[in-house]
Amino acid sequence: MMRTRPLKVALLGCGVVGSEVARIMTTHADDLAARIGAPVELAGVAVRRPDKVREGIPRGLITTDATALVKRGDIDVVVEVIGGIEPARSLITTAFEHGASVVSANKALLAQDGADLHAAAVAHGKDLYYEAAVAGAIPLIRPLRESLAGDKVNRVLGIVNGTTNFILDKMDSTGAGYQEALDEATALGYAEADPTADVEGFDAAAKAAILAGIAFHTRVRLDDVYREGMTEVTAADFASAKEMGCTIKLLAICERAEDGRSVTARVHPAMIPLTHPLASVRGAYNAVFVESDASGQLMFYGPGAGGSPTASAVLGDLVAVCRNRLSGTTGPGESAYAALPVSGMGDVVTRYHISLDVADKPGVLAQVATVFAEHGVSIDTVRQQGKDGEASLVVVTHRASDAALGGTVEALRKLDTVRGVASIMRVEGE
């Protein structure tokens, strides 16, 4: 039997995502009520610009006082889509204190203060759901947190930023340079006027922290994630990748150490084989590849951003939280029992593609090979091309630690025959 008294929802933020959440709540009201077991009512919308026309939202619901809205006491669920650290953090904790559960899409806040927010939710017996914080509409957090709860996840490898994937895809498919591809992404609305958060990997790093924490039952903060942007990727890098049967993606990589005693989380450009499922992810799409003991390899794919996809994830969480509200229960919270140490980038082991500018004369290859051997880095393949006294030397290694590779490169720079290190890129997905 359906409850007639509605569950009241406060919406914090009414931009691209928030306005779509409000629209779906209105147009799909009957379906949502049937799925939840009670009607849901939009009880207030907190915005910064109250005079802006917002189609479908009665002006009487609009307020600039977000704090007063979450303190009302009759609010069942607060949906936070304003982003940033403050005032979002204070508003969420205030919502818990005044009896509301929270649905958030705030990846930056969750990556930085997720542990404290989870603790506040538990202290007040409320839910904190955030499926929309990672990869938009793609169901990812719930499968990791619930469907794979009985499995052991060893690695999460993903494309979690649509802007960077669009840019790199354009560079790969058309031969465009970085700036040209970025300009097209901006013109099409895929990139912000200031794309720093995307192209320098900050957005993906926040998502990596969240994914690693859930996958490995360990608290991983944004500061624990190694981050490297993609602004230095060139057409020459793509040409080298193609010669290896690879392409280049900006990847978020979360993995257990081989001995299982620690974890790492990192974001950086990497070459991946064209045979890997992530290599075929085109345009602004996202995809996440999960490797676990029992399930083997799983891939989650779909639109990772935008108003409708992100709102879809928000509404999915809203339905789950409202159901919990009706039954007087809460869903799964933070699982950090493993408390594994988070290792630095120096401990990461992977393959490397190094391009060197060298003198075109006998003995150079032997000198370079000796440096690699002295630092314990095994060479897989070498390719050399020379002309007019100058040459390029491309070395692909077997698996080596980042620390060992760093020492190797430092020693190579000291060789008189090495003019410079043109590029260094990791090779993943093998």
Side-chain angles (χ1 to χ4, degrees), residues 14 25 63 75 100 194 203 219 224 228 238 244 254 261 267 384 406 417 425 427 430:
C14 198
M25 284 185 64
T63 179
I75 300 298
D194 180 1
D203 175 84
R219 286 178 177 169
D224 296 322
E228 185 181 318
F238 273 101
M244 291 178 57
C254 315
R261 296 179 180 176
V267 169
Q384 184 173 3
T417 51
M425 191 165 295
V427 183
E430 294 185 302

Side-chain angles (χ1 to χ4, degrees), residues 51-90:
D51 296 331
K52 181 180 177 181
V53 176
R54 293 174 171 85
E55 187 176 348
I57 300 177
R59 294 190 65 86
L61 295 181
I62 301 295
T63 179
T64 58
D65 194 343
T67 301
L69 178 59
V70 300
K71 282 184 173 181
R72 274 178 36 174
D74 64 336
I75 300 298
D76 293 287
V77 184
V78 169
V79 174
E80 183 272 309
V81 288
I82 57 177
I85 305 302
E86 286 291 356
R89 175 171 50 197
S90 297

Side-chain angles (χ1 to χ4, degrees), residues 15-233:
V16 173
V17 176
S19 59
E20 190 66 8
V21 169
R23 185 193 68 80
I24 295 173
M25 284 185 64
T26 302
T27 58
H28 296 180
D30 290 343
D31 285 341
L32 290 173
R35 294 166 191 170
I36 292 168
V40 287
E41 173 189 317
L42 189 59
V45 181
V47 299
R48 286 184 299 175
R49 293 179 292 171
D51 296 331
K52 181 180 177 181
V53 176
R54 293 174 171 85
E55 187 176 348
I57 300 177
R59 294 190 65 86
L61 295 181
I62 301 295
T63 179
T64 58
D65 194 343
T67 301
L69 178 59
V70 300
K71 282 184 173 181
R72 274 178 36 174
D74 64 336
I75 300 298
D76 293 287
V77 184
V78 169
V79 174
E80 183 272 309
V81 288
I82 57 177
I85 305 302
E86 286 291 356
R89 175 171 50 197
S90 297
L91 291 169
I92 289 173
T93 55
T94 300
F96 291 142
E97 292 166 0
H98 287 79
S101 290
V102 173
V103 172
S104 176
N106 195 331
K107 53 189 171 287
L109 177 58
L110 289 158
Q112 177 174 303
D113 295 316
D116 291 341
L117 294 177
H118 274 293
V122 170
H124 295 283
K126 299 297 178 284
D127 275 322
L128 174 62
Y129 276 49
Y130 44 90
E131 184 69 62
V134 180
I138 304 172
L140 185 58
I141 289 177
R142 192 170 285 113
L144 282 173
R145 191 163 65 172
E146 299 178 30
S147 303
L148 296 176
D151 205 344
K152 179 183 177 184
V153 176
N154 295 310
R155 196 176 199 220
V156 180
L157 175 77
I159 298 164
V160 295
N161 183 279
T163 299
T164 55
N165 199 58
F166 178 89
I167 293 170
L168 292 173
D169 184 36
K170 280 295 176 183
M171 293 176 70
D172 185 27
S173 60
T174 69
Y178 166 76
Q179 189 60 50
E180 183 182 351
L182 172 59
D183 290 343
E184 183 174 352
T186 304
L188 292 172
Y190 292 126
E192 301 286 346
D194 180 1
T196 302
D198 294 324
V199 300
E200 294 295 351
F202 291 100
D203 175 84
K207 296 170 181 176
I210 295 170
L211 291 174
I214 296 171
F216 306 133
H217 305 280
T218 292
R219 286 178 177 169
V220 180
R221 289 172 51 89
L222 181 58
D223 291 345
D224 296 322
V225 181
Y226 172 84
R227 178 193 55 79
E228 185 181 318
M230 48 154 282
T231 57
E232 301 300 318
V233 176

Side-chain angles (χ1 to χ4, degrees), residues 249-262:
K249 300 290 187 182
L250 185 76
L251 297 177
I253 305 170
C254 315
E255 58 189 352
R256 294 180 189 268
E258 291 184 0
D259 62 8
R261 296 179 180 176
S262 64

Side-chain angles (χ1 to χ4, degrees), residues 344-366:
M345 191 63 189
D347 296 326
V348 169
V349 176
T350 188
R351 298 178 66 206
Y352 290 86
H353 176 282
I354 304 103
S355 180
L356 305 172
D357 295 325
V358 299
D360 186 16
K361 61 182 184 181
V364 173
L365 179 56

